């Protein structure tokens, strides 16, 4: 669950930064205009611009010049851009699209709430998988995967560390169909027709780059408050 | 002027000088031509070498195995010559090794334990890849989920089980064949059903037995089997009968031994509700079954009507007069 919480934290921080920056820009702009107008009125100068010009011509440096205002606004804009980038960057890395169909699931029907939960948890599982295998971070696998699926992916990470390899799963699209849902609701089997850009790197060198279409058989079981992937097995076809 | 005076000599000298000038420019031209030829030669040589190297690198190829079973060692044939780096990337494995082109690359069984798609990548000047699938081995264990752990007798579609076959490496066998489910209560066989697995899953659902006690549920495929126990317990009480008598403080009522409709004794702790109605109104006492019987003391005076219920089952009514 580390990647998920990490992404959430990043998004929260970015959102907070965006909000604070917007507030700061608005406040500074309003205050600046108000102060300038107030100053112009005090000096009985017909306009703000002429007020500033008259102060400049009289040799008095104005307290708030247009250049200062533009500098402040440009800095705030840069901060806003950085915040927007911070907000967007994690999401672009974690581009995982999952479509799910449960119409053929049986013998037990999958209710809409459950469907949403499984879709959410399966998507999180793939985000975690991609993160773990790109950065060789085994911790990312602990939450969404258990049993065989977790062991296999852990082996992948440790093997990649030894070999100096990493794997990227980019632009993931998953079309998931629930094919079996147990009578007591303790296991669900999914068929996932996934396509993504698979990149394998040796250090920084790209040794394999291919757009692949994969078929996965997935077993998920309920945990305390979410569903976990117990089996993730690629097959030639369904 | 001198040339004009000796036009022949002057012409010859001029001609000689002209020839000398021509031969000088010819030499320069010849050098330039030689340079051009040399450059063209080097260019052609470099093109030939690059073509040769491209043809050599194109000759590096690898042929992946067509059908692989989990845990089995296989080899990948390569073409070309020289050294290269071989990568095997698949579920649970990301290996890198140096290999000699033209030789076979042996893949150990322990590197192919997980079913799924593997990528074999061979890199020297450029990288070439091939992919292959590893299929699960034969079933070595059964995951068998049975629900519930306790079930009332004669409950419709109350017992269910799901079986999945896995090989010795934990791969899900998607086509294990037919799985047999057997339910036995004591020495009585309640169910024996062969179920063909679809997508690796076989399941059943059935009614529980009629007698309380342990129910053995067995799933088997070939010589593999998995056994689970379900405790069948009595169902709701049936035919509740009560008897009572007046005491100096009120009434004492108790049930006859409580059974379900199949005659199984209802387990101790099951709550039985006694309701007494007299002139002052209704009063209810809940009592747990203890040693098969529920008993309660009710404070009441005058004529009283006592009824009994447990769950959805109602019992008889008991009329006790005021003087009795």
């Amino acid at each position: 669950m580390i990647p998920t919480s990490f992404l959430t934290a990043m998004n929260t921080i970015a959102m907070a930064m965006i909000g604070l920056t917007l507030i700061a820009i608005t406040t500074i702009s309003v205050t600046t205009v108000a102060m300038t107008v107030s100053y112009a009125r005090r000096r009985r100068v017909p306009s703000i611009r002429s007020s500033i010009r008259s102060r400049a011509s009289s040799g008095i440096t104005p307290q708030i010049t247009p250049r200062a205002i533009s500098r402040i606004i440009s800095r705030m804009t840069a901060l806003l851009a950085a915040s927007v980038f911070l907000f967007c960057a994690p999401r672009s890395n974690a581009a995982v699209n999952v479509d799910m169909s449960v119409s053929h699931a049986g013998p037990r029907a999958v209710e809409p709430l459950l469907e949403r939960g499984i879709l959410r948890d399966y998507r999180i599982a793939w985000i975690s998988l991609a993160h773990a295998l790109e950065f060789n971070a085994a911790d990312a696998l602990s939450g969404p995967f258990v049993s065989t699926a977790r062991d296999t992916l852990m082996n992948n990470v440790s093997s990649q560390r030894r070999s100096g390899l990493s794997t990227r799963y980019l632009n993931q699209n998953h079309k998931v169909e629930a094919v079996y849902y147990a009578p007591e609701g303790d296991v669900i089997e999914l068929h996932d027709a996934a396509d993504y850009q698979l990149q394998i790197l040796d250090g920084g060198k790209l040794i394999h780059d291919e757009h692949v279409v994969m078929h996965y058989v997935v077993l998920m079981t309920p945990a305390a408050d979410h569903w976990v992937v117990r089996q993730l097995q690629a097959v030639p076809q369904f | 002027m001198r040339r004009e005076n000796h036009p022949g000599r002057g012409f010859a000298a001029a001609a000689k000088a002209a020839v000398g000038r021509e031969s000088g420019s010819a030499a320069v031209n010849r050098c330039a031509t030689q340079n051009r030829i040399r450059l063209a030669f080097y260019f052609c040589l470099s093109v030939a070498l690059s073509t040769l190297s491209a043809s050599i690198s194109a000759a590096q190829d690898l042929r992946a195995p067509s059908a692989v079973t989990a845990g089995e060692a296989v080899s990948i044939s390569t073409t070309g010559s020289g050294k290269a780096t071989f990568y095997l990337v698949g579920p649970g494995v990301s290996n890198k090794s140096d290999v000699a082109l033209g030789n076979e690359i042996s893949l150990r069984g322990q590197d192919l334990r997980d079913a799924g798609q593997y990528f074999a990548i061979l890199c020297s000047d450029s990288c070439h890849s091939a992919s292959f699938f590893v299929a699960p081995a034969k079933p070595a264990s059964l995951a068998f989920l049975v629900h519930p752990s306790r079930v009332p007798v004669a409950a419709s579609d109350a017992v269910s089980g799901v079986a999945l076959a896995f090989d010795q490496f934990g791969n899900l066998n998607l086509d294990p064949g037919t799985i047999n489910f057997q339910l036995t209560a004591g020495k009585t066989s309640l169910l024996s059903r062969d179920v063909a697995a679809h997508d690796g899953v076989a399941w059943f659902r059935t009614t529980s037995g009629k007698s309380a006690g342990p129910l053995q549920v067995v799933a088997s495929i070939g010589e593999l089997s998995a056994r689970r126990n379900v405790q069948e317990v009595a169902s709701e009480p049936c035919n509740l009968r009560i008897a009572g008598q007046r005491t100096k403080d009120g009434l004492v009522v108790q049930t006859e031994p409580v059974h379900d409709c199949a005659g199984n004794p209802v387990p101790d702790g099951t709550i039985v509700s006694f309701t007494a109605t007299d002139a002052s109104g209704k009063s209810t006492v809940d009592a747990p079954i203890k040693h098969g019987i529920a008993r309660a003391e009710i404070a009441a005076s005058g004529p009283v009507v006592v009824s009994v219920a447990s769950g959805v089952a109602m019992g008889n009514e008991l009329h006790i007069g005021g003087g009795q």
Side-chain angles (χ1 to χ4, degrees):
Chain A
M1 300 304 285
I2 284 175
T4 314
S5 57
F6 175 71
L7 290 176
T8 310
M10 289 278 284
N11 286 345
T12 310
I13 292 167
M15 286 295 288
M17 284 177 68
I18 289 170
L20 288 173
T21 311
L22 285 173
I23 290 167
I25 286 174
T26 312
T27 310
I28 288 168
S29 304
V30 169
T31 311
T32 306
V33 170
M35 284 175 69
T36 313
V37 168
S38 155
Y39 178 78
R41 280 181 182 164
R42 243 187 356 257
R43 289 285 181 179
R44 293 177 185 173
V45 180
S47 71
I48 299 167
R49 187 175 293 174
S50 58
S51 160
I52 294 166
R53 200 182 297 130
S54 68
R55 284 170 65 89
S57 62
S58 64
I60 303 166
T61 308
Q63 290 177 342
I64 302 168
T65 62
R67 187 178 293 174
I69 294 167
S70 67
R71 197 162 53 230
I72 290 168
I73 290 176
S74 67
R75 282 179 185 173
M76 287 298 165
T77 309
L79 188 59
L80 182 66
S83 307
V84 170
F85 175 76
L86 191 63
F87 179 67
C88 294
R91 292 198 166 188
S92 63
N93 287 340
V96 177
N97 299 317
V98 182
D99 293 326
M100 190 165 180
S101 164
V102 295
S103 57
H104 294 103
R108 184 178 175 134
V110 179
E111 295 182 359
L113 191 63
L114 175 69
E115 180 186 350
R116 285 198 294 274
I118 288 175
L119 191 146
R120 176 200 63 209
D121 294 334
Y122 188 63
R123 184 173 176 275
I124 288 172
W126 269 99
I127 292 171
S128 304
L129 183 153
H131 180 84
L133 293 180
E134 181 172 0
F135 301 107
N136 289 330
D139 292 345
L141 302 168
S142 298
F145 296 95
V146 295
S147 186
T148 311
R150 182 174 173 273
D151 295 346
T152 302
L153 291 168
M154 287 283 196
N155 288 341
N156 262 114
V157 170
S158 58
S159 184
Q160 283 195 164
R161 276 184 189 158
R162 280 197 305 273
S163 312
L165 302 179
S166 60
T167 311
R168 285 183 188 150
Y169 296 82
L170 305 174
N171 303 324
Q172 297 181 40
N173 292 297
H174 300 265
K175 289 186 178 171
V176 180
E177 184 178 12
V179 295
Y180 176 78
Y181 185 36
E184 297 297 326
D186 46 5
V187 63
I188 190 166
E189 181 177 340
L190 309 174
H191 284 181
D192 178 12
D195 69 277
Y196 48 78
Q197 194 70 23
L198 177 69
Q199 294 184 340
I200 302 170
L201 296 99
D202 183 357
K205 182 188 169 191
L206 187 66
I207 58 168
H208 186 72
D209 188 4
E210 182 183 3
H211 184 260
V212 293
V213 177
M214 302 283 281
H215 297 89
Y216 289 99
V217 173
V218 185
L219 292 179
M220 292 183 81
T221 54
D225 58 351
H226 63 289
W227 284 72
V228 292
V229 177
R230 189 166 286 272
Q231 197 86 22
L232 182 67
Q233 192 169 308
V235 295
Q237 59 187 10
F238 296 131
Chain B
M1 291 295 291
R2 199 172 172 182
R3 283 176 196 161
E4 285 176 4
N5 290 336
H6 306 281
R9 189 183 163 192
F11 179 76
K16 193 175 180 181
V19 167
R21 283 199 299 272
E22 277 181 11
S23 64
S25 66
V28 169
N29 287 340
R30 205 178 303 121
C31 282
T33 308
Q34 282 176 352
N35 282 338
R36 283 196 199 100
I37 290 169
R38 199 174 293 128
L39 282 173
F41 172 73
Y42 287 142
F43 176 74
C44 291
L45 186 65
S46 63
V47 167
L49 284 173
S50 57
T51 309
L52 185 64
S53 107
S55 66
I56 287 170
S57 62
Q60 300 158 9
D61 204 358
L62 69 169
R63 208 165 297 137
S66 55
V68 185
T69 304
E72 284 185 1
V74 293
S75 58
I76 293 178
S77 60
T78 64
T79 57
S81 59
K83 291 190 173 180
T85 307
F86 176 72
Y87 301 91
L88 178 68
V89 178
V93 63
S94 297
N95 287 349
K96 174 185 176 183
S97 57
D98 294 326
V99 295
L101 292 172
N103 295 339
E104 288 201 332
I105 302 168
S106 297
L107 304 182
R108 297 174 303 174
Q110 65 185 41
D111 290 334
L112 302 172
R113 291 189 305 181
D114 294 302
Q117 189 168 20
Y118 287 72
F119 291 90
I121 304 165
L122 195 61
C123 293
S124 55
D125 296 329
S126 59
C127 292
H128 299 267
S129 66
S131 66
F132 59 95
F133 276 93
V134 170
K138 65 178 184 179
S141 65
L142 277 176
F144 190 27
L145 307 171
V146 176
H147 283 284
S149 56
R150 282 166 64 90
V151 63
V153 295
S156 174
D157 284 343
V159 181
S160 67
V162 182
L164 301 104
F166 293 88
D167 68 8
Q168 59 176 316
F169 307 110
N171 300 306
L172 175 65
N173 197 310
L174 293 167
D175 190 18
T178 301
I179 294 179
N180 177 259
F181 295 107
Q182 284 192 342
L183 276 72
T184 311
K187 292 182 178 178
T188 309
S189 175
L190 300 178
L191 173 81
S192 179
R193 189 183 293 171
D194 289 330
V195 179
H198 290 288
D199 300 318
V201 180
W203 67 282
F204 75 92
R205 184 162 51 192
T206 189
T207 303
S208 58
K210 290 185 178 175
S211 58
L215 173 69
Q216 287 197 341
V217 188
V218 179
S220 56
I221 178 170
E223 294 178 354
L224 285 175
S225 66
R227 185 184 303 269
R228 302 287 181 268
N229 280 327
V230 173
Q231 185 66 33
E232 287 187 312
V233 296
S235 189
E236 295 287 331
C238 192
N239 297 324
L240 276 173
R241 303 288 302 172
I242 54 171
Q245 60 184 9
R246 187 171 287 281
T247 61
K248 64 178 181 181
D249 296 329
L251 301 170
V252 171
V253 288
Q254 68 174 36
T255 64
E256 292 177 1
V258 183
H259 294 94
D260 65 7
C261 294
N264 300 294
V266 173
D268 284 2
T270 304
I271 299 297
V272 175
S273 299
F274 298 93
T275 303
T277 308
D278 61 4
S280 60
K282 274 188 179 179
S283 60
T284 301
V285 176
D286 291 336
I289 294 174
K290 193 174 180 182
H291 301 301
I293 292 171
R295 186 172 182 275
E297 292 181 8
I298 302 171
S301 58
V304 181
V305 177
V306 183
S307 62
V308 64
S310 180
V312 296
M314 296 285 292
N316 64 314
E317 282 190 346
L318 186 66
H319 295 263
I320 300 175
Q324 292 178 354

